[in-house]
C-alpha cells in the first residue's frame, strides 16, 4: 500500500517556513543549550542546597591567588566571546582570512582558560583536596562539588576549543559557511554564560 | 562591533562589582542573593546581545527562556520535598 501521507508530510514540511524564523541548525543548537542549561542548573541547585545546609562549610579560596586567578579566567572567557563575535561578523562580511584569525584567537583564549583552570586544580590537589577528601577537616562535599561542577564546565570549554578548531579548518576550506560559525558561537557564548554562575557561586561564595 | 565592545565592558564591570561585594564580606545569605542577582543580569545581557536573542523573534526567545524557567522552578519545588522526606526516615529500633 502506498504511503501518500508520508510523502505529503515531507513536501509540507519542506515548504513550510520555520515558526520561529530560525534555520534548523540554529534551532537544534538552541535545543541543546536549553538541555545543557538544565544540566548545569541541576548541579548548581544541588550544590546550593548542600552549601546552605552546611553552616560549617569549608571556604578554601584565598583572595590571592585563587580569586585573582578566577577573575583573570573570567576576563579571558568574556574576551573569547568578543573574539568569537568578531569571527562571526567577519564571516558574514565574507572576510574568510580575518574570520579564521579571530577563531584562532578564540581557541587560544579558550586554551588559556583551560590551562589556568588546570593549574588551579593541580594546586588544590597538591594541598590534599580530592573528590571525596577535605584536607581542612570539614565536609568532603566541598571537593566533590568543586571538582564535579568546574570539571563539567572545563569539559565544555575543551570540547568547544576542539569544535572551533574543526569548524575553522572546514571554513578555511569553504566546507562551512558563516551560519556554521554563528551556531558554534552560540555554544561558545553558552559556555561563557555558565561560567557567569560558576565563578560567583563556587569561588566568590567560598572566600576565606 | 562597537556595541559588542560596550557590552563586554559592561559585563567586566558586573564581574568587578561581584568581587567588590564579596570583599565587603556581608552575611552569607545576603552575599548569595547579591551574587545571584548580578549573575542573572550578566547572563541576560549575554543572552540578548552575545547570543543575539534580542534580534530573534520574541516568541522564540520566550519559548527557550520559559522552558529553562519551568525546569528550574520544578527543581526548586521537588528538591525541597527531598529534604522533607529525609526528616521522615524511620529510626532503627
Amino acid at each position: 500500500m502506498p504511503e501518500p501521507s508520508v510523502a505529503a508530510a515531507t513536501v509540507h514540511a519542506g515548504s513550510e517556513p520555520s515558526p520561529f524564523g530560525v534555520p534548523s541548525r540554529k534551532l537544534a543548537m538552541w535545543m541543546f543549550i536549553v538541555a545543557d542549561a538544565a544540566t548545569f542548573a541541576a548541579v548548581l541547585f544541588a550544590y546550593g542546597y548542600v552549601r546552605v545546609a552546611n553552616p560549617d562549610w569549608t571556604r578554601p579560596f584565598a583572595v590571592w591567588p585563587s580569586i585573582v586567578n578566577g577573575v583573570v579566567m573570567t576576563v579571558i572567557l568574556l574576551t573569547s566571546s568578543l573574539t568569537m563575535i568578531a569571527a562571526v561578523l567577519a564571516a558574514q562580511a565574507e572576510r574568510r582570512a580575518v574570520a579564521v584569525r579571530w577563531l584562532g584567537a578564540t581557541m587560544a583564549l579558550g586554551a588559556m582558560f583551560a590551562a589556568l583552570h588546570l593549574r588551579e586544580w593541580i594546586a588544590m590537589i597538591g594541598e590534599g583536596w580530592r573528590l571525596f577528601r577535605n584536607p581542612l577537616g570539614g565536609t568532603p562535599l566541598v571537593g566533590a562539588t568543586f571538582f564535579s561542577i568546574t570539571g563539567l564546565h572545563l569539559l565544555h570549554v575543551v570540547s568547544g576549543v576542539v569544535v572551533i578548531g574543526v569548524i575553522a579548518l572546514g571554513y578555511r576550506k569553504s566546507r562551512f559557511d558563516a551560519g556554521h560559525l554563528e551556531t558554534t558561537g552560540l555554544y561558545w557564548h553558552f559556555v561563557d554564560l555558565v561560567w557567569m554562575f560558576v565563578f560567583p557561586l563556587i569561588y566568590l561564595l567560598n572566600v576565606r | 562591533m562597537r556595541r559588542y565592545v560596550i557590552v563586554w565592558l559592561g559585563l567586566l564591570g558586573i564581574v568587578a562589582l561581584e568581587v567588590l561585594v564579596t570583599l565587603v564580606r556581608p552575611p552569607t545569605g545576603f552575599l548569595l542573593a547579591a551574587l545571584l542577582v548580578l549573575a542573572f543580569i550578566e547572563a541576560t545581557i549575554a543572552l540578548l546581545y552575545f547570543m543575539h536573542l534580542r534580534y530573534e523573534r520574541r516568541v522564540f526567545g520566550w519559548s527557550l527562556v520559559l522552558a529553562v524557567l519551568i525546569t528550574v522552578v520544578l527543581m526548586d519545588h521537588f528538591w525541597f520535598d527531598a529534604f522533607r522526606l529525609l526528616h521522615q526516615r524511620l529510626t532503627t529500633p
Side-chain angles (χ1 to χ4, degrees), chain A residues 19-20 22 26-27 30 34 38 42 45-46 49 59 78-79 81-82 85 186 189 193 196-197 200 204 208, chain B residues 4 8 12 22 25 28 32 35 39 42-43 46-47 50-51 53 56-57 60 63-64 72 75-76 79-80 83:
Chain A
F20 294 125
V22 293
K26 199 168 165 183
L27 183 64
W30 272 110
V34 166
F45 252 95
Y49 276 112
R59 293 165 179 251
L78 283 173
T79 308
S81 266
L82 197 63
I85 287 171
L186 277 177
H189 299 313
L193 189 146
M196 290 173 187
F197 287 91
L204 294 181
R208 269 183 217 149
Chain B
Y4 296 112
W8 173 71
L12 290 180
T22 307
R25 299 189 186 278
T28 306
L32 175 63
L35 291 176
E42 218 180 340
L47 272 170
F50 281 2
M51 298 173 86
L53 216 49
E56 304 289 357
R57 284 189 193 171
F60 179 58
S63 304
L64 299 171
V72 169
M75 280 180 201
D76 187 58
W79 286 5
F80 266 124
F83 273 94

Side-chain angles (χ1 to χ4, degrees), chain A residues 4-19:
Chain A
S5 58
V6 174
T10 309
V11 171
H12 186 65
S15 60
E16 188 179 315
S18 163

Side-chain angles (χ1 to χ4, degrees), chain A residues 40-106:
Chain A
F40 274 105
V43 290
L44 286 171
F45 252 95
Y47 159 74
Y49 276 112
V50 294
R51 170 69 179 85
V52 175
N54 281 282
D56 58 342
W57 187 265
T58 311
R59 293 165 179 251
F61 304 115
V63 173
W64 174 262
S66 295
I67 299 303
V68 174
N69 188 55
V71 169
V72 172
M73 284 160 67
T74 308
V75 172
I76 286 172
L77 208 55
L78 283 173
T79 308
S80 75
S81 266
L82 197 63
T83 55
M84 190 74 212
I85 287 171
V88 174
L89 290 178
Q92 285 168 346
E94 293 292 330
R95 297 164 68 200
R96 273 184 189 268
V98 179
V100 171
R101 270 203 295 275
W102 280 119
L103 286 176
T106 309

